């Protein structure tokens, strides 16, 4: 920025301000009428005008710097918002696929079998049919055991299931999950020998 033109008080000529330094009490001579001015703000009009001009320039530069600072800050925030938007945009499908994969793995646990029937529903069925059901589900370790408790065969027939256990548990329900290698034991009624 340029200093404004300062005129000589005596002849009105334009004073050459390029030769003024920051040394106090420096003399400035008018090139037209040879009038002498002392450059010091406290004692001379010229010094006061120069000081005011320098202060105005400093304030304008400060204002420009302030504008540039806020422009830069806004640009930086805009970039930050853009980055966050992109991050969110790419995160949504990633999170969605993660949730779907997790739900699939929970629903279809590898090596796990979800039971389609509860233990109580198997009572009274033929033990061979129950064994076939567990084989069809994918269980590999199926055993059965005779329960010699029939007297007349009125309420239960020979070969009817009295109880089924999975790993010793006879309180399993529809929807429970078990490993395909779990121990299935089918107890069925028979007449004593």
């Amino acid at each position: 920025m340029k200093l404004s033109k300062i005129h000589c008080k005596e002849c009105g000529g334009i004073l050459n301000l390029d030769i003024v330094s920051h040394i106090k009490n420096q003399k400035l001579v008018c090139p037209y009428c040879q009038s002498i001015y002392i450059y010091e703000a406290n004692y001379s009009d010229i010094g006061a005008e120069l000081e005011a001009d320098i202060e105005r320039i400093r304030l304008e530069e400060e204002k420009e710097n302030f504008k540039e600072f806020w422009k830069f800050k806004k640009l930086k925030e805009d970039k930050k918002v853009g980055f966050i938007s992109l991050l969110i945009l790419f995160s949504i499908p990633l999170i969605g696929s993660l949730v779907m994969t997790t739900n699939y793995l929970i629903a279809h646990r590898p090596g796990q079998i979800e039971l389609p029937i509860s233990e109580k529903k198997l009572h009274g069925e033929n033990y061979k049919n129950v064994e076939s059901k567990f084989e069809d589900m994918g269980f590999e370790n199926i055993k059965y055991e005779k329960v010699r408790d029939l007297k007349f065969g009125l309420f239960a027939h020979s070969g009817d299931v009295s109880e089924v256990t999975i790993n010793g548990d006879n309180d399993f329900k529809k929807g429970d999950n078990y490993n395909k290698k779990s121990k299935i034991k089918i107890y069925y009624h028979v007449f004593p020998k």
Side-chain angles (χ1 to χ4, degrees):
M1 293 197 179
K2 292 183 179 178
L3 294 171
S4 59
K5 293 180 182 176
I6 297 179
H7 298 277
C8 177
K9 302 280 185 207
E10 301 295 324
C11 69
I14 297 173
L15 299 175
N16 186 3
L17 299 176
D18 293 337
I19 61 169
V20 176
S21 70
H22 293 287
I23 301 170
K24 287 189 174 190
N25 299 326
Q26 181 180 357
K27 291 180 183 177
L28 181 63
V29 178
C30 175
Y32 306 105
C33 68
Q34 304 303 314
S35 296
I36 297 173
Y37 295 94
I38 297 173
Y39 169 61
E40 187 173 343
N42 296 335
Y43 300 108
S44 71
D45 293 339
I46 291 283
E49 286 181 46
L50 286 173
E51 289 290 331
D53 242 3
I54 290 169
E55 182 63 17
R56 179 186 52 78
I57 291 170
R58 188 190 64 76
L59 289 172
E60 285 178 15
E61 286 176 349
E62 195 174 278
K63 186 177 175 183
E64 283 297 316
N65 288 342
F66 191 70
K67 282 182 187 177
E68 289 297 318
F69 169 77
W70 284 108
K71 189 190 282 185
F72 174 75
K73 189 166 184 172
K74 184 176 181 342
L75 181 67
K76 193 173 175 183
E77 286 175 4
D78 289 347
K79 283 184 180 181
K80 186 177 180 182
V81 168
F83 176 74
I84 290 171
S85 298
L86 279 175
L87 189 64
I88 289 169
L89 187 65
F90 285 114
S91 296
I92 289 172
L94 182 66
I95 291 169
S97 63
L98 185 64
V99 167
M100 288 180 3
T101 303
T102 303
N103 286 341
Y104 177 81
L105 288 175
I106 288 171
H108 303 91
R109 296 178 188 162
Q112 296 285 311
I113 299 171
E114 185 177 330
L115 297 177
I117 194 164
S118 67
E119 193 269 341
K120 302 286 184 233
K121 297 279 183 185
L122 299 172
H123 289 217
E125 284 194 44
N126 185 280
Y127 75 96
K128 285 289 184 186
N129 292 343
V130 172
E131 180 183 24
S132 293
K133 284 182 183 181
F134 278 101
E135 284 174 349
D136 292 344
M137 286 182 232
F139 287 101
E140 300 171 353
N141 189 5
I142 304 169
K143 305 231 187 275
Y144 36 88
E145 189 174 310
K146 297 176 186 176
V147 179
R148 302 181 185 278
D149 63 349
L150 287 179
K151 301 263 189 229
F152 303 108
L154 294 174
F155 299 108
H157 299 91
S158 182
D160 286 354
V161 172
S162 67
E163 180 183 39
V164 178
T165 62
I166 301 177
N167 294 330
D169 178 21
N170 69 347
D171 193 28
F172 57 86
K173 295 174 185 54
K174 180 180 178 180
D176 288 352
N177 288 292
Y178 289 92
N179 189 297
K180 65 182 180 179
K181 297 194 183 291
S182 297
K183 293 179 184 176
I184 310 293
K185 198 153 193 188
I186 303 168
Y187 297 89
Y188 63 96
H189 301 285
V190 292
F191 289 102
K193 288 189 179 179

